[in-house]
Amino acid sequence: MANEVDMSGWTNLLHSSSKLCEQAAPSAQFPPLQRNLDQLEALSKKLKAKTLRSEAPSQSIAATRLLAREGINAEQLARDLKSFELKTTYEDVFPAEATNVEEYLQQVHEMAMLSAIQEAQKDNLRNFNDHMMTVLEDDWQKEKRDFLQSLSRISMLPRTNTAEATSTIGRPGQIVSASSTPRVHSGPASMEITPHVNKSIQEKKASAYAEAVKNLNNARERAQSFKPATAFKAALESLGLEAAGSKTVGMQKIWHLVQTLVGEDLNVHHNVSKKMSLVGGAKRHLEWGHAKHVIETIQNHPVQASLGGSVGNLQRIHAFLRIRLRDHGVLDFDAVDSRRQPPLDTTWQQIFFCLRSGYYDEARSVAQSSRVSLQFAPQLSEWIATNGMVSANTAAVASEECEKMFRLGDRGTRAMYDRKKLLLYAMVSGSRRQIDRLLREMPNLFNTIEDFLWFQLCAIRDGASGSSSSGLNDALAPYTLEDLQMYLNKFEPSYYTKNGKDPLMYPYVLLMSIQLLPAVLYLSKETGEEGFNIDAVHIAITFADYGVLSESGGAGQKLGMMDAFAEAASMIRQFGSAYMRLENLPIALEYYAQAAAAVGGGQLSWVRRNSLDQQRQRSLMLKQLLTEVLLHDGGIYLLLGPRGAGGEAELRRFLTDAASREQFLLEAARQCQETGCYDKSIEIQKRIGAFGMALDLINQCLSEAICSLSRGRLDGDSRTAALIHSGNEILEMCKYYPETSGKDREHVLEQETVLRQLEAILSIHGHSRQGHYLDAVQEIFKLPFLPLDPRATGSTMDLFQNLSPHVQACVPDLLRVALSCQENVADTDGSLRAMRTKIANILASNMHRNWPRDLYEKVARSL
């Protein structure tokens, strides 16, 4: 029955499918497909698998999305996980016999100690590598910084001779290493300045200035009179570099200003403060410049000047006014009949331009001879006699006269007085109020900045800024140098230099306003082809020599005395170090001497008339710089000469007494020894007769060389031979040195004994390396300080008590060599066995020493 039902079901299904096939019309879009049952089964399984993947749980989808957001490829991760392999780890396995607690704890303790030692070794190695990397980076940064700072200066300095110049400079801008250039000697030829042929402006300036610096130092050493500004100016003029152009200020003009600032143009110096002396020098420079301008104007307009045969100062001013006031008709000093045509009164013009040109006597004469200036004549005479420091009463009278003229101007009657009269009264009054009002109400009063600066300098009084607030009347508050500096510093440097078209105008203005150090620092930054930075160094030398840098701070930037001197000394030292890099030690030494003198107060430091603090500063810097020269290649020969301790060489110039020279050289030798320059230290100690110290250092180096030789260093033979030769040379010198004391001779004898012991050890090492084992063993038996001879008796407990540390350092290697040699020699009489026993006794009695572990193992194996 059941079969009939199944057959009817299949029959119905077949009938339905037949009807579907009959009803289905063929279509081009869906072509008919025929599949058998196996194919249908395979397609259904494939469809089922795809459906299962699409129905993945939400957690898997979220994980895949998270990995994709972090940039991780999920498929790549799945492939990697398939290839992941787990490995077993090994734990510490204790021996089977460690079954009780004591043995277990012993094993744990040993393992903990070994682990701690290994970790400490790793930490030490890592810390050492980090430290060395930091040191290397610091050294590199320092070398790079020094190179960049000196790069612009290297090409500016002269070579010591023509041959060196040709070998050093292969092409423009290329500098060959110092090893390819010949060394500079300290003889007279090395100080010669090479001719200015085919040289740049910088090299010409440096060469000419260096000769002037050498002459300056020679004069100061002999306490002779010398004018450094004049010498530097003459050196610059000898080069013929200045050419007429559009620039207002040239370097020769600046050097003339420096001359007047330090007072080299005066034969008699007035008793005024250092600040007012500088102000007076700047004023004299401006007066010199205007007098030169007056003469040039007359020469350019000879017809209008009508000077004739008169060459007096007042006649020059008259001729100048004829040209200047040629549109104003007949002047008063040229009028024949004043009743026919009233001439122009030029009294105030004559007084002003006489003062402006430095003709003070003529200005006083004009004021006293004219009716309109009779009231002003005594005030002017007092102003001239006191260098501008008039009494309070005179200043008050002049200030009141200024007030009257300003009131006339307020009423619209300004033409009733001459502007030059107002300038003169304001100048004599020295009142800050009157000068500020004058500049405020008449901004176009001065034609040039030189006229403006001269008027301001003439009005300056020697008083502290802001003194009016402490009790002075505001109308009588003095105009000070700080007021001028504050006014000038309100403008940017580009305002004065016209955006670089007149580069020296700004430092010129700084010098005129007694801002000396800012002017020098500004010039030192000008590294163009004109070489202004070289001029700046020598201007700093001049100011430091006269000790005026303490007055150089501008308003708002006050520097202490030592700060200003230290700044100049640093600049001079840096310039001298450039010569050091060029191997020109003699010229570098001259600049180093100036750097030390600068920090010590300048000219007074050479004769020890400076303060105690300045003397200390100069001594410290001088010794530091001399040490730098001494440790340089060729420095010992330069400072100490071919022999001796510098009593007949350059060192005597700076350290005059023998005791100070000896102390300096001992300190330098110690510094050499600390830095590893053993050869220089030994040479210095030999020069001063410290033979015992020199032998001690030689023994130390020889001991280190022997230890290095025993460890396979290839250059040990030549090193040890040189040290032994040097030691023997010192012993020979000591025999003929008369100034050696008894204590020194004892020290020399002790070090000679050490030297011979080290020679014996070196000989044993030589026999061992050459395979002469029997000779080496025989030499070992002969060592008096190491009782290995089997025939000798005695304890070895106190063996190292009287032995030199240099010899002690060689004993472990010596014992190792002894053991190696006896292994290659037949023991016919038992002496070698006895030697091995004594070596073992020596090791046993010196267990507290940090000797190599392999030595103990070697002894244990030999026994």
Side-chain angles (χ1 to χ4, degrees):
M1 190 70 182
N3 292 333
E4 292 179 358
V5 174
D6 291 341
M7 289 299 294
S8 63
W10 281 106
T11 304
N12 294 334
L13 180 62
L14 179 61
H15 180 69
S16 298
S17 61
S18 300
K19 285 184 178 181
L20 286 174
C21 290
E22 293 174 356
Q23 293 175 1
S27 174
Q29 184 177 2
F30 301 102
L33 295 176
Q34 293 182 359
R35 297 287 186 270
N36 56 25
L37 291 177
D38 294 335
Q39 291 175 338
L40 288 174
E41 185 180 2
L43 290 174
S44 64
K45 290 181 179 179
K46 185 176 181 181
L47 180 61
K48 182 180 179 180
K50 186 182 298 185
T51 305
L52 290 176
R53 283 198 301 269
S54 62
E55 293 177 355
S58 59
Q59 293 85 354
S60 177
I61 297 174
T64 304
R65 187 183 300 110
L66 178 62
L67 291 174
R69 186 186 305 146
E70 298 297 328
I72 301 175
N73 190 344
E75 296 181 359
Q76 180 66 32
L77 182 61
R79 287 195 298 270
D80 293 341
L81 288 174
K82 289 179 181 178
S83 62
F84 185 75
E85 181 182 359
L86 294 177
K87 293 183 178 180
T88 58
T89 58
Y90 298 94
E91 297 181 357
D92 296 324
V93 179
F94 297 102
E97 60 269 14
T99 56
N100 53 31
V101 176
E102 288 79 6
E103 293 181 357
Y104 172 78
L105 293 178
Q106 179 67 23
Q107 292 288 339
V108 172
H109 174 71
E110 292 179 357
M111 291 174 59
M113 292 297 296
L114 290 175
S115 300
I117 293 173
Q118 291 176 356
E119 291 296 329
Q121 289 176 343
K122 293 179 181 179
D123 292 341
N124 289 338
L125 182 60
R126 183 173 58 255
N127 293 335
F128 175 76
N129 291 334
D130 294 342
H131 173 71
M132 291 303 299
M133 184 59 64
T134 303
V135 171
L136 288 175
E137 290 177 354
D138 293 342
D139 290 344
W140 164 243
Q141 292 295 335
K142 181 178 181 299
E143 290 292 335
K144 183 172 68 173
R145 185 167 56 253
D146 294 343
F147 173 75
L148 291 177
Q149 289 177 354
S150 62
L151 188 60
S152 60
R153 290 181 170 85
I154 291 180
S155 62
M156 301 175 187
L157 300 176
R159 311 297 176 187
T160 52
N161 49 55
T162 306
E164 182 179 353
T166 56
S167 62
T168 305
I169 303 179
R171 59 177 182 270
Q174 178 187 7
I175 301 177
V176 184
S177 62
S179 60
S180 63
T181 60
R183 297 291 182 189
V184 177
H185 302 289
S186 60
S190 65
M191 296 293 292
E192 295 177 359
I193 305 300
T194 56
H196 306 305
V197 180
N198 297 328
K199 284 188 175 184
S200 64
I201 295 177
Q202 295 93 332
E203 290 178 326
K204 292 179 181 179
K205 280 188 175 182
S207 179
Y209 283 150
E211 186 68 22
V213 170
K214 184 182 70 171
N215 296 334
L216 170 62
N217 289 341
N218 290 334
R220 294 291 180 254
E221 291 168 15
R222 296 171 174 80
Q224 297 175 352
S225 176
F226 191 85
K227 296 180 178 180
T230 303
F232 290 138
K233 182 173 180 288
L236 181 63
E237 290 175 347
S238 66
L239 303 178
L241 300 177
E242 293 274 325
S246 59
K247 297 179 181 178
T248 306
V249 181
M251 188 50 64
Q252 290 184 8
K253 188 174 183 179
I254 286 186
W255 271 119
H256 184 273
L257 173 57
V258 174
Q259 276 184 288
T260 57
L261 285 173
V262 297
E264 291 186 1
D265 60 324
L266 294 177
N267 295 324
V268 179
H269 294 270
H270 302 285
N271 187 19
V272 295
S273 66
K274 190 176 293 185
K275 180 196 296 183
M276 294 309 296
S277 176
L278 291 168
V279 170
K283 189 169 59 174
R284 290 195 306 275
H285 168 75
L286 291 173
E287 292 166 354
W288 164 83
H290 192 270
K292 184 179 178 182
H293 168 66
V294 167
I295 295 175
E296 291 176 352
T297 303
I298 294 173
Q299 293 175 349
N300 294 333
H301 304 83
V303 178
Q304 294 176 353
S306 302
L307 185 59
S310 302
V311 292
N313 293 332
L314 185 57
Q315 286 72 30
R316 290 194 181 95
I317 296 300
H318 287 170
F320 177 72
L321 288 175
R322 291 189 190 101
I323 301 169
R324 182 180 177 86
L325 304 175
R326 56 183 176 270
D327 297 333
H328 292 75
V330 180
L331 306 181
D332 55 351
F333 50 80
D334 286 335
V336 179
D337 187 1
S338 59
R339 292 173 298 180
R340 296 180 57 185
Q341 182 181 1
L344 178 65
D345 189 358
T346 61
T347 300
W348 300 108
Q349 298 270 352
Q350 293 182 58
I351 296 174
F352 177 82
F353 284 110
C354 282
L355 294 176
R356 181 69 180 86
S357 302
Y359 306 150
Y360 286 11
D361 294 336
E362 287 77 4
R364 186 191 298 113
S365 176
V366 171
Q368 293 173 352
S369 61
S370 175
R371 178 176 55 83
V372 299
S373 60
L374 285 177
Q375 181 183 356
F376 181 68
Q379 300 175 15
L380 178 62
S381 299
E382 181 182 352
W383 185 84
I384 294 174
T386 60
N387 292 315
M389 301 294 107
V390 298
S391 63
N393 184 39
T394 301
V397 172
S399 180
E400 181 60 29
E401 190 65 27
C402 290
E403 290 288 348
K404 291 179 182 180
M405 285 184 277
F406 278 124
R407 286 195 293 269
L408 290 175
D410 294 338
R411 297 171 188 170
T413 56
R414 181 161 293 176
M416 295 181 61
Y417 67 90
D418 195 322
R419 289 188 174 186
K420 295 297 186 291
K421 177 182 178 181
L422 179 58
L423 283 177
L424 291 171
Y425 271 104
M427 187 175 69
V428 172
S429 71
S431 170
R432 183 191 304 156
R433 175 180 176 183
Q434 304 302 336
I435 293 171
D436 290 343
R437 184 175 180 181
L438 182 68
L439 297 178
R440 184 173 59 253
E441 297 186 5
M442 302 180 185
N444 299 323
L445 185 59
F446 301 99
N447 296 327
T448 63
I449 192 172
E450 287 85 354
D451 293 338
F452 167 78
L453 288 173
W454 177 82
F455 168 73
Q456 300 279 56
L457 292 170
C458 289
I460 286 175
R461 299 293 179 265
D462 191 6
S465 180
S467 58
S468 60
S469 61
S470 60
L472 287 176
N473 187 357
D474 184 60
L476 298 179
Y479 188 76
T480 63
L481 179 61
E482 287 75 12
D483 296 326
L484 174 60
Q485 292 173 350
M486 289 179 63
Y487 180 83
L488 295 174
N489 291 340
K490 291 190 299 184
F491 303 95
E492 294 294 328
S494 58
Y495 171 79
Y496 298 102
T497 62
K498 301 175 183 177
N499 294 322
K501 296 179 181 179
D502 202 356
L504 295 181
M505 177 55 76
Y506 181 64
Y508 181 73
V509 171
L510 290 177
L511 291 173
M512 292 299 304
S513 57
I514 320 304
Q515 301 182 74
L516 308 183
L517 187 59
V520 171
L521 293 177
Y522 179 86
L523 276 175
S524 66
K525 298 175 184 177
E526 294 289 331
T527 57
E529 61 181 8
E530 294 86 356
F532 293 148
N533 55 336
I534 299 177
D535 299 303
V537 172
H538 298 86
I539 292 174
I541 289 176
T542 302
F543 287 146
D545 185 70
Y546 283 97
V548 297
L549 284 172
S550 57
E551 306 293 333
S552 64
Q557 51 181 4
K558 284 292 185 181
L559 289 174
M561 178 183 296
M562 292 309 300
D563 293 336
F565 289 149
E567 191 76 33
S570 176
M571 185 186 306
I572 300 168
R573 175 182 181 177
Q574 188 175 10
F575 188 78
S577 64
Y579 281 101
M580 287 282 290
R581 287 188 290 271
L582 289 176
E583 308 295 333
N584 195 340
L585 302 189
I587 298 298
L589 182 62
E590 302 296 333
Y591 282 97
Y592 279 180
Q594 274 301 314
V599 81
Q603 180 179 351
L604 297 178
S605 66
W606 294 88
V607 292
R608 296 185 178 275
R609 290 170 54 190
N610 50 349
S611 65
L612 293 178
D613 187 47
Q614 288 178 327
Q615 291 180 17
R616 182 180 61 84
Q617 293 287 343
R618 178 182 182 271
S619 178
L620 289 176
M621 177 168 277
L622 182 61
K623 290 181 178 180
Q624 180 182 357
L625 297 179
L626 289 176
T627 302
E628 183 179 340
V629 175
L630 188 68
L631 301 188
H632 200 278
D633 292 340
I636 294 178
Y637 186 85
L638 173 65
L639 290 180
L640 306 185
R643 61 180 180 276
E648 300 178 357
E650 296 293 319
L651 186 61
R652 187 178 183 181
R653 297 171 52 193
F654 311 105
L655 301 175
T656 54
D657 58 301
S660 61
R661 288 196 298 270
E662 182 177 355
Q663 182 64 30
F664 163 72
L665 292 174
L666 283 173
E667 182 65 23
R670 183 192 62 78
Q671 185 173 344
C672 289
Q673 187 171 348
E674 290 177 352
T675 56
C677 300
Y678 298 124
D679 293 338
K680 291 183 180 294
S681 180
I682 293 170
E683 178 65 21
I684 294 172
Q685 290 168 351
K686 285 166 54 179
R687 294 295 191 96
I688 59 178
F691 300 117
M693 296 175 61
L695 279 174
D696 184 37
L697 184 55
I698 288 176
N699 290 333
Q700 175 186 338
C701 296
L702 183 57
S703 174
E704 294 174 356
I706 292 174
C707 293
S708 300
L709 186 64
S710 64
R711 294 177 176 86
R713 184 174 174 177
L714 298 179
D715 59 343
D717 289 332
S718 59
R719 176 65 175 163
T720 53
L723 288 170
I724 293 174
H725 174 75
S726 181
N728 293 330
E729 186 180 45
I730 291 175
L731 291 173
E732 190 67 22
M733 291 174 60
C734 185
K735 295 179 181 179
Y736 304 100
Y737 195 77
E739 300 178 4
T740 305
S741 63
K743 185 177 180 180
D744 292 339
R745 290 191 180 276
E746 291 180 2
H747 190 200
V748 171
L749 291 176
E750 292 176 2
Q751 295 304 319
E752 183 181 8
T753 302
V754 174
L755 179 63
R756 301 309 174 209
Q757 291 172 350
L758 292 174
E759 279 188 272
I761 294 175
L762 182 62
S763 176
I764 293 172
H765 281 285
H767 287 310
S768 175
R769 289 197 311 273
Q770 296 172 6
H772 302 161
Y773 302 115
L774 181 59
D775 295 337
V777 170
Q778 292 175 352
E779 291 290 334
I780 292 172
F781 287 162
K782 294 178 182 179
L783 293 177
F785 59 89
L786 198 62
L788 296 179
D789 189 353
R791 293 167 296 182
T793 59
S795 175
T796 61
M797 298 298 295
D798 58 346
L799 173 66
F800 293 93
Q801 290 183 358
N802 299 323
L803 200 59
S804 169
H806 307 318
V807 179
Q808 291 182 24
C810 299
V811 169
D813 292 327
L814 179 62
L815 295 178
R816 187 185 293 106
V817 169
L819 291 173
S820 299
C821 291
Q822 62 90 23
E823 293 175 355
N824 296 278
V825 177
D827 188 6
T828 58
D829 55 356
S831 59
L832 296 182
R833 180 175 180 81
M835 183 182 71
R836 290 194 296 270
T837 303
K838 290 198 172 187
I839 292 176
N841 293 334
I842 292 176
L843 292 180
S845 61
N846 289 276
M847 293 292 292
H848 62 282
R849 300 183 183 275
N850 189 22
W851 282 358
R853 187 174 184 84
D854 63 331
L855 177 61
Y856 291 93
E857 296 175 354
K858 193 176 186 66
V859 171
R861 288 195 303 269
S862 66
L863 294 176

